[in-house]
């Protein structure tokens, strides 16, 4: 070992440890505004990183899809809680996120409760164009039902030609 050479015995590794910062200090809160067809206008809040450099926060919000129950959007009517509504961000105005209807679905437990043994499940979809220019893809689900004069233990299946 050369005389006068500092072996960095007291300092530790080069660079030192990076100071830990809370990632939520760099976030902003935006209020989700539901369309006027729902009774509750304030649908909730969403979080996004603040505008930094060329990355603009409002651009990151556009196109974001929010999923919430219809009961929450219509003022707490629990009979509608199995329907999930999807809202898509169209525009950002100040701290408000303006949304539009993007789709509807049913919860998994509701779909499972509808499906039973000894009956036929029929699923179909169709693409529809509305008069105001929107394209909708509508999915439907149907089940066969026993007739009133049918025996209690018998099945109620549909023929293959009827299901198409």
């Amino acid at each position: 070992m050369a005389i006068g050479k500092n072996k960095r015995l007291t300092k530790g590794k080069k660079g030192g440890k990076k100071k830990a910062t809370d990632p939520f200090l760099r976030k902003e809160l935006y209020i989700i505004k539901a369309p006027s067809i729902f009774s509750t206008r304030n649908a909730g809040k969403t979080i996004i990183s603040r505008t930094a450099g060329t990355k603009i926060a409002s651009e990151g919000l556009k196109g974001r899809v929010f999923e919430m129950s219809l009961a929450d959007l219509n003022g707490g009517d629990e009979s509608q809680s199995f329907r999930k509504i999807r809202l898509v961000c169209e525009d950002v105005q100040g701290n408000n996120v303006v949304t539009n209807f993007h789709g509807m679905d049913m919860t998994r437990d509701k779909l499972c409760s509808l499906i039973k043994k000894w009956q036929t499940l029929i699923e179909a979809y169709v693409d529809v164009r509305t008069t105001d220019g929107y394209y909708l893809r509508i999915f439907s689900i149907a089940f066969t039902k026993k007739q009133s004069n049918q025996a209690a233990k018998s099945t109620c299946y549909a023929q293959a030609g009827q299901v198409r």
Side-chain angles (χ1 to χ4, degrees), residues 30-33 58-59 61-64 66 88-100:
Y30 284 85
I31 299 165
I32 302 167
K33 296 287 185 181
S58 61
E59 292 298 317
L61 279 172
K62 286 181 183 162
R64 189 179 280 194
F66 307 101
V88 64
C89 173
E90 295 284 318
D91 192 26
V92 179
Q93 297 171 346
N95 253 13
N96 296 331
V97 177
V98 180
T99 60
N100 198 1

mmCIF file of all heavy atoms in Angstrom, residues 30-33 58-59 61-64 66 88-100:
data_model
loop_
_atom_site.group_PDB
_atom_site.id
_atom_site.type_symbol
_atom_site.label_atom_id
_atom_site.label_comp_id
_atom_site.label_asym_id
_atom_site.label_seq_id
_atom_site.Cartn_x
_atom_site.Cartn_y
_atom_site.Cartn_z
ATOM 1 N N TYR A 30 -58.101 13.980 -8.987
ATOM 2 C CA TYR A 30 -59.103 14.536 -9.895
ATOM 3 C C TYR A 30 -60.468 13.949 -9.542
ATOM 4 O O TYR A 30 -60.574 12.784 -9.157
ATOM 5 C CB TYR A 30 -58.761 14.203 -11.359
ATOM 6 C CG TYR A 30 -57.642 15.034 -11.917
ATOM 7 C CD1 TYR A 30 -56.307 14.670 -11.717
ATOM 8 C CD2 TYR A 30 -57.898 16.181 -12.650
ATOM 9 C CE1 TYR A 30 -55.276 15.418 -12.225
ATOM 10 C CE2 TYR A 30 -56.871 16.940 -13.172
ATOM 11 C CZ TYR A 30 -55.566 16.558 -12.956
ATOM 12 O OH TYR A 30 -54.543 17.310 -13.459
ATOM 13 N N ILE A 31 -61.526 14.732 -9.703
ATOM 14 C CA ILE A 31 -62.895 14.302 -9.398
ATOM 15 C C ILE A 31 -63.536 13.776 -10.672
ATOM 16 O O ILE A 31 -63.526 14.453 -11.708
ATOM 17 C CB ILE A 31 -63.713 15.478 -8.824
ATOM 18 C CG1 ILE A 31 -63.059 15.975 -7.528
ATOM 19 C CG2 ILE A 31 -65.142 15.065 -8.571
ATOM 20 C CD1 ILE A 31 -63.562 17.320 -7.073
ATOM 21 N N ILE A 32 -64.107 12.556 -10.603
ATOM 22 C CA ILE A 32 -64.763 11.943 -11.765
ATOM 23 C C ILE A 32 -66.202 12.428 -11.820
ATOM 24 O O ILE A 32 -66.959 12.235 -10.870
ATOM 25 C CB ILE A 32 -64.721 10.405 -11.670
ATOM 26 C CG1 ILE A 32 -63.276 9.911 -11.560
ATOM 27 C CG2 ILE A 32 -65.424 9.776 -12.858
ATOM 28 C CD1 ILE A 32 -63.162 8.454 -11.161
ATOM 29 N N LYS A 33 -66.582 13.045 -12.930
ATOM 30 C CA LYS A 33 -67.947 13.529 -13.141
ATOM 31 C C LYS A 33 -68.665 12.563 -14.072
ATOM 32 O O LYS A 33 -68.260 12.362 -15.211
ATOM 33 C CB LYS A 33 -67.944 14.937 -13.757
ATOM 34 C CG LYS A 33 -67.342 16.000 -12.866
ATOM 35 C CD LYS A 33 -68.268 16.314 -11.732
ATOM 36 C CE LYS A 33 -67.725 17.477 -10.911
ATOM 37 N NZ LYS A 33 -68.591 17.789 -9.800
ATOM 38 N N SER A 58 -53.208 15.703 -17.728
ATOM 39 C CA SER A 58 -54.543 15.605 -18.348
ATOM 40 C C SER A 58 -54.525 14.683 -19.567
ATOM 41 O O SER A 58 -55.515 14.013 -19.857
ATOM 42 C CB SER A 58 -55.057 16.988 -18.741
ATOM 43 O OG SER A 58 -54.186 17.581 -19.671
ATOM 44 N N GLU A 59 -53.397 14.622 -20.277
ATOM 45 C CA GLU A 59 -53.288 13.709 -21.420
ATOM 46 C C GLU A 59 -53.244 12.254 -20.954
ATOM 47 O O GLU A 59 -53.726 11.359 -21.644
ATOM 48 C CB GLU A 59 -52.037 14.031 -22.248
ATOM 49 C CG GLU A 59 -52.104 15.364 -22.969
ATOM 50 C CD GLU A 59 -53.240 15.437 -23.976
ATOM 51 O OE1 GLU A 59 -53.448 14.459 -24.711
ATOM 52 O OE2 GLU A 59 -53.925 16.475 -24.001
ATOM 53 N N LEU A 61 -54.880 11.125 -18.449
ATOM 54 C CA LEU A 61 -56.230 10.761 -17.990
ATOM 55 C C LEU A 61 -57.168 10.446 -19.145
ATOM 56 O O LEU A 61 -58.066 9.615 -18.998
ATOM 57 C CB LEU A 61 -56.833 11.897 -17.162
ATOM 58 C CG LEU A 61 -56.397 11.979 -15.707
ATOM 59 C CD1 LEU A 61 -56.905 13.256 -15.084
ATOM 60 C CD2 LEU A 61 -56.877 10.780 -14.937
ATOM 61 N N LYS A 62 -56.978 11.087 -20.290
ATOM 62 C CA LYS A 62 -57.886 10.890 -21.427
ATOM 63 C C LYS A 62 -57.815 9.455 -21.916
ATOM 64 O O LYS A 62 -56.747 8.915 -22.132
ATOM 65 C CB LYS A 62 -57.560 11.861 -22.558
ATOM 66 C CG LYS A 62 -58.000 13.264 -22.232
ATOM 67 C CD LYS A 62 -57.706 14.225 -23.335
ATOM 68 C CE LYS A 62 -58.109 15.622 -22.901
ATOM 69 N NZ LYS A 62 -57.504 16.644 -23.684
ATOM 70 N N GLY A 63 -58.974 8.853 -22.062
ATOM 71 C CA GLY A 63 -59.048 7.461 -22.484
ATOM 72 C C GLY A 63 -59.062 6.476 -21.331
ATOM 73 O O GLY A 63 -59.277 5.288 -21.539
ATOM 74 N N ARG A 64 -58.855 6.943 -20.116
ATOM 75 C CA ARG A 64 -58.880 6.053 -18.951
ATOM 76 C C ARG A 64 -60.315 5.590 -18.699
ATOM 77 O O ARG A 64 -61.250 6.373 -18.801
ATOM 78 C CB ARG A 64 -58.344 6.803 -17.730
ATOM 79 C CG ARG A 64 -58.122 5.924 -16.526
ATOM 80 C CD ARG A 64 -57.570 6.699 -15.364
ATOM 81 N NE ARG A 64 -56.139 6.927 -15.487
ATOM 82 C CZ ARG A 64 -55.372 7.350 -14.476
ATOM 83 N NH1 ARG A 64 -55.898 7.587 -13.293
ATOM 84 N NH2 ARG A 64 -54.091 7.533 -14.665
ATOM 85 N N PHE A 66 -63.168 3.938 -16.187
ATOM 86 C CA PHE A 66 -63.542 3.743 -14.791
ATOM 87 C C PHE A 66 -64.731 2.791 -14.741
ATOM 88 O O PHE A 66 -65.650 2.908 -15.541
ATOM 89 C CB PHE A 66 -63.936 5.079 -14.145
ATOM 90 C CG PHE A 66 -62.894 6.152 -14.312
ATOM 91 C CD1 PHE A 66 -63.037 7.136 -15.269
ATOM 92 C CD2 PHE A 66 -61.766 6.172 -13.516
ATOM 93 C CE1 PHE A 66 -62.091 8.119 -15.433
ATOM 94 C CE2 PHE A 66 -60.807 7.151 -13.675
ATOM 95 C CZ PHE A 66 -60.967 8.125 -14.628
ATOM 96 N N VAL A 88 -65.712 6.280 -19.672
ATOM 97 C CA VAL A 88 -64.412 6.612 -20.257
ATOM 98 C C VAL A 88 -64.204 8.121 -20.148
ATOM 99 O O VAL A 88 -65.144 8.904 -20.301
ATOM 100 C CB VAL A 88 -64.310 6.133 -21.727
ATOM 101 C CG1 VAL A 88 -65.298 6.834 -22.629
ATOM 102 C CG2 VAL A 88 -62.900 6.284 -22.262
ATOM 103 N N CYS A 89 -62.971 8.531 -19.853
ATOM 104 C CA CYS A 89 -62.633 9.944 -19.723
ATOM 105 C C CYS A 89 -62.582 10.585 -21.113
ATOM 106 O O CYS A 89 -61.826 10.156 -21.973
ATOM 107 C CB CYS A 89 -61.296 10.096 -19.021
ATOM 108 S SG CYS A 89 -60.703 11.792 -18.981
ATOM 109 N N GLU A 90 -63.410 11.596 -21.305
ATOM 110 C CA GLU A 90 -63.445 12.324 -22.573
ATOM 111 C C GLU A 90 -62.615 13.606 -22.515
ATOM 112 O O GLU A 90 -61.952 13.958 -23.480
ATOM 113 C CB GLU A 90 -64.900 12.689 -22.923
ATOM 114 C CG GLU A 90 -65.799 11.506 -23.182
ATOM 115 C CD GLU A 90 -65.566 10.880 -24.538
ATOM 116 O OE1 GLU A 90 -65.394 11.630 -25.511
ATOM 117 O OE2 GLU A 90 -65.563 9.646 -24.616
ATOM 118 N N ASP A 91 -62.681 14.309 -21.366
ATOM 119 C CA ASP A 91 -62.042 15.611 -21.271
ATOM 120 C C ASP A 91 -61.691 15.889 -19.813
ATOM 121 O O ASP A 91 -62.294 15.324 -18.903
ATOM 122 C CB ASP A 91 -62.986 16.703 -21.800
ATOM 123 C CG ASP A 91 -62.293 18.027 -22.001
ATOM 124 O OD1 ASP A 91 -61.067 18.029 -22.210
ATOM 125 O OD2 ASP A 91 -62.976 19.070 -21.943
ATOM 126 N N VAL A 92 -60.716 16.780 -19.599
ATOM 127 C CA VAL A 92 -60.343 17.220 -18.262
ATOM 128 C C VAL A 92 -60.540 18.721 -18.202
ATOM 129 O O VAL A 92 -59.965 19.464 -18.998
ATOM 130 C CB VAL A 92 -58.870 16.847 -17.940
ATOM 131 C CG1 VAL A 92 -58.492 17.332 -16.562
ATOM 132 C CG2 VAL A 92 -58.667 15.354 -18.060
ATOM 133 N N GLN A 93 -61.400 19.164 -17.256
ATOM 134 C CA GLN A 93 -61.679 20.594 -17.086
ATOM 135 C C GLN A 93 -61.297 20.986 -15.669
ATOM 136 O O GLN A 93 -62.029 20.698 -14.732
ATOM 137 C CB GLN A 93 -63.158 20.893 -17.336
ATOM 138 C CG GLN A 93 -63.599 20.581 -18.745
ATOM 139 C CD GLN A 93 -65.088 20.668 -18.925
ATOM 140 O OE1 GLN A 93 -65.845 20.713 -17.965
ATOM 141 N NE2 GLN A 93 -65.527 20.677 -20.171
ATOM 142 N N GLY A 94 -60.128 21.594 -15.525
ATOM 143 C CA GLY A 94 -59.642 21.953 -14.196
ATOM 144 C C GLY A 94 -59.300 20.695 -13.411
ATOM 145 O O GLY A 94 -58.444 19.920 -13.805
ATOM 146 N N ASN A 95 -60.011 20.489 -12.291
ATOM 147 C CA ASN A 95 -59.818 19.292 -11.475
ATOM 148 C C ASN A 95 -60.889 18.251 -11.729
ATOM 149 O O ASN A 95 -60.963 17.262 -11.009
ATOM 150 C CB ASN A 95 -59.815 19.668 -9.986
ATOM 151 C CG ASN A 95 -58.434 19.604 -9.397
ATOM 152 O OD1 ASN A 95 -57.447 19.511 -10.121
ATOM 153 N ND2 ASN A 95 -58.352 19.629 -8.093
ATOM 154 N N ASN A 96 -61.746 18.467 -12.720
ATOM 155 C CA ASN A 96 -62.845 17.555 -13.017
ATOM 156 C C ASN A 96 -62.544 16.718 -14.254
ATOM 157 O O ASN A 96 -62.049 17.224 -15.258
ATOM 158 C CB ASN A 96 -64.144 18.328 -13.247
ATOM 159 C CG ASN A 96 -64.586 19.066 -12.003
ATOM 160 O OD1 ASN A 96 -64.305 18.648 -10.893
ATOM 161 N ND2 ASN A 96 -65.259 20.185 -12.191
ATOM 162 N N VAL A 97 -62.878 15.424 -14.171
ATOM 163 C CA VAL A 97 -62.726 14.503 -15.288
ATOM 164 C C VAL A 97 -64.115 14.265 -15.859
ATOM 165 O O VAL A 97 -64.969 13.676 -15.195
ATOM 166 C CB VAL A 97 -62.100 13.164 -14.826
ATOM 167 C CG1 VAL A 97 -62.021 12.191 -15.976
ATOM 168 C CG2 VAL A 97 -60.736 13.397 -14.233
ATOM 169 N N VAL A 98 -64.370 14.739 -17.083
ATOM 170 C CA VAL A 98 -65.669 14.585 -17.733
ATOM 171 C C VAL A 98 -65.687 13.231 -18.437
ATOM 172 O O VAL A 98 -64.805 12.924 -19.235
ATOM 173 C CB VAL A 98 -65.926 15.735 -18.729
ATOM 174 C CG1 VAL A 98 -67.274 15.585 -19.393
ATOM 175 C CG2 VAL A 98 -65.829 17.074 -18.025
ATOM 176 N N THR A 99 -66.704 12.410 -18.121
ATOM 177 C CA THR A 99 -66.756 11.053 -18.650
ATOM 178 C C THR A 99 -67.968 10.853 -19.547
ATOM 179 O O THR A 99 -68.896 11.654 -19.554
ATOM 180 C CB THR A 99 -66.809 10.020 -17.512
ATOM 181 O OG1 THR A 99 -67.969 10.265 -16.720
ATOM 182 C CG2 THR A 99 -65.578 10.083 -16.657
ATOM 183 N N ASN A 100 -67.941 9.761 -20.290
ATOM 184 C CA ASN A 100 -69.033 9.359 -21.164
ATOM 185 C C ASN A 100 -69.249 7.860 -20.971
ATOM 186 O O ASN A 100 -68.340 7.142 -20.576
ATOM 187 C CB ASN A 100 -68.685 9.674 -22.625
ATOM 188 C CG ASN A 100 -69.908 9.692 -23.513
ATOM 189 O OD1 ASN A 100 -71.030 9.488 -23.063
ATOM 190 N ND2 ASN A 100 -69.684 9.936 -24.791
#
